[in-house]
């Protein structure tokens, strides 16, 4: 059973409400913020598969069920609200700069930004890169998880350590290196919008 079918089933067969009655119930609870009748009708007919969380919250409240109960046993369970990438599935998403610097993509392809876990062994570094300088403003955020990282961005160098973060326009030339002789550097690199 699909999510929209379960919504219709509970409304019709469990609560015994017509769509108009259910809409009136939502209006009595949420007032001007309630879903419109047309939106509710489209959701129940399955014309919209990308149901927003705020809409689902209203529907659950009106039906008297939790989101977990509503999604239980549906084909769409978990697929529209969250994306999970298990660490065991990340092996195919590696970007190898060289033998001492490897990045693994940890974000799903369905979102607008890119997140990578970058590991640089002692003495290693990435090659210089820069995102396109066009109408989009490309940005990167580095969040240090372990060790230290010497960042080189547009002619400036900054040393960041565990717990620090650094943000910059990634259309500037940049590269990273691990100045340590003993400790691996590990950080999260978030890029928006994503560019490969």
């Amino acid at each position: 059973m699909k999510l929209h079918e379960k919504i219709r089933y509970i409304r019709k067969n469990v609560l015994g409400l017509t769509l108009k009655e259910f809409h009136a119930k939502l209006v009595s609870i949420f007032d001007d913020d309630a879903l419109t009748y047309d939106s509710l009708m489209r959701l129940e007919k399955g014309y919209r598969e990308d149901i927003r969380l705020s809409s689902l919250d209203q529907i659950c409240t009106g039906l008297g069920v939790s989101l977990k109960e509503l999604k239980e046993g549906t084909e769409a369970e978990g697929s529209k609200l969250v994306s999970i990438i298990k660490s065991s599935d990340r092996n195919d998403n590696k970007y190898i700069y060289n033998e001492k610097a490897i990045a693994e993509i940890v974000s799903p392809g369905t979102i607008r930004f890119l997140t990578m876990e970058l590991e640089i062994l002692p003495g290693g570094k990435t090659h210089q890169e820069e995102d396109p300088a066009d109408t989009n403003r490309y940005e990167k955020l580095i969040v240090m998880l372990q060790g230290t990282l010497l960042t080189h961005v547009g002619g400036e160098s900054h040393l960041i350590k565990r717990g620090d973060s650094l943000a910059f326009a990634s259309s500037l030339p940049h590269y990273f290196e691990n100045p340590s002789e003993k400790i691996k550097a590990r950080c999260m690199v978030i890029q928006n919008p994503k560019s490969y």
Side-chain angles (χ1 to χ4, degrees):
M1 178 181 289
K2 294 190 183 286
L3 186 61
H4 71 276
E5 293 169 333
K6 188 165 183 182
I7 292 169
R8 186 172 55 241
Y9 177 83
I10 294 171
R11 177 202 39 93
K12 194 174 176 182
N13 299 318
V14 176
L15 299 179
L17 297 174
T18 66
L19 190 58
K20 284 188 179 184
E21 291 169 333
F22 185 62
H23 179 253
K25 182 177 182 179
L26 292 182
V27 169
S28 72
I29 298 169
F30 298 101
D31 203 23
D32 292 338
D33 295 326
L35 286 166
T36 66
Y37 179 81
D38 288 340
S39 294
L40 194 56
M41 183 178 62
R42 285 192 300 271
L43 292 174
E44 269 204 7
K45 289 190 177 193
Y47 296 153
R48 291 194 55 203
E49 292 188 14
D50 59 333
I51 304 174
R52 292 186 322 203
L53 188 56
S54 59
S55 299
L56 279 175
D57 183 49
Q58 283 192 28
I59 290 168
C60 288
T61 301
L63 295 176
V65 297
S66 69
L67 181 59
K68 181 180 177 186
E69 291 169 320
L70 180 63
K71 295 181 72 212
E72 203 167 75
T74 64
E75 292 175 30
E77 189 168 340
S79 65
K80 297 297 177 192
L81 299 179
V82 298
S83 295
I84 298 173
I85 297 178
K86 303 282 187 182
S87 60
S88 59
D89 297 334
R90 288 178 11 193
N91 293 333
D92 295 334
N93 295 317
K94 287 186 179 181
Y95 179 78
I96 301 172
Y97 289 94
N98 53 56
E99 69 279 352
K100 289 192 171 189
I102 298 173
E104 282 187 83
I105 297 172
V106 298
S107 55
T110 56
I111 59 176
R112 286 174 270 212
F113 60 89
L114 178 70
T115 304
M116 299 182 294
E117 183 176 346
L118 174 63
E119 288 188 357
I120 304 177
L121 298 177
K125 66 179 178 179
T126 65
H127 60 265
Q128 183 171 296
E129 56 190 350
E130 58 189 276
D131 291 322
D134 61 9
T135 56
N136 288 322
R137 176 169 162 83
Y138 288 90
E139 299 173 306
K140 279 189 181 168
L141 172 68
I142 312 299
V143 180
M144 286 303 297
L145 303 174
Q146 174 184 334
T148 57
L149 194 66
L150 185 57
T151 63
H152 303 279
V153 179
E156 294 182 5
S157 296
H158 301 276
L159 184 68
I160 57 175
K161 59 184 181 182
R162 183 176 180 255
D164 293 344
S165 60
L166 176 115
F168 60 94
S170 58
S171 56
L172 295 169
H174 57 278
Y175 69 97
F176 314 116
E177 65 180 301
N178 182 354
S180 173
E181 295 179 9
K182 297 179 182 177
I183 300 171
K184 173 173 56 176
R186 195 166 61 90
C187 63
M188 298 304 287
V189 179
I190 298 109
Q191 178 176 309
N192 186 46
K194 59 181 153 189
S195 172
Y196 294 98

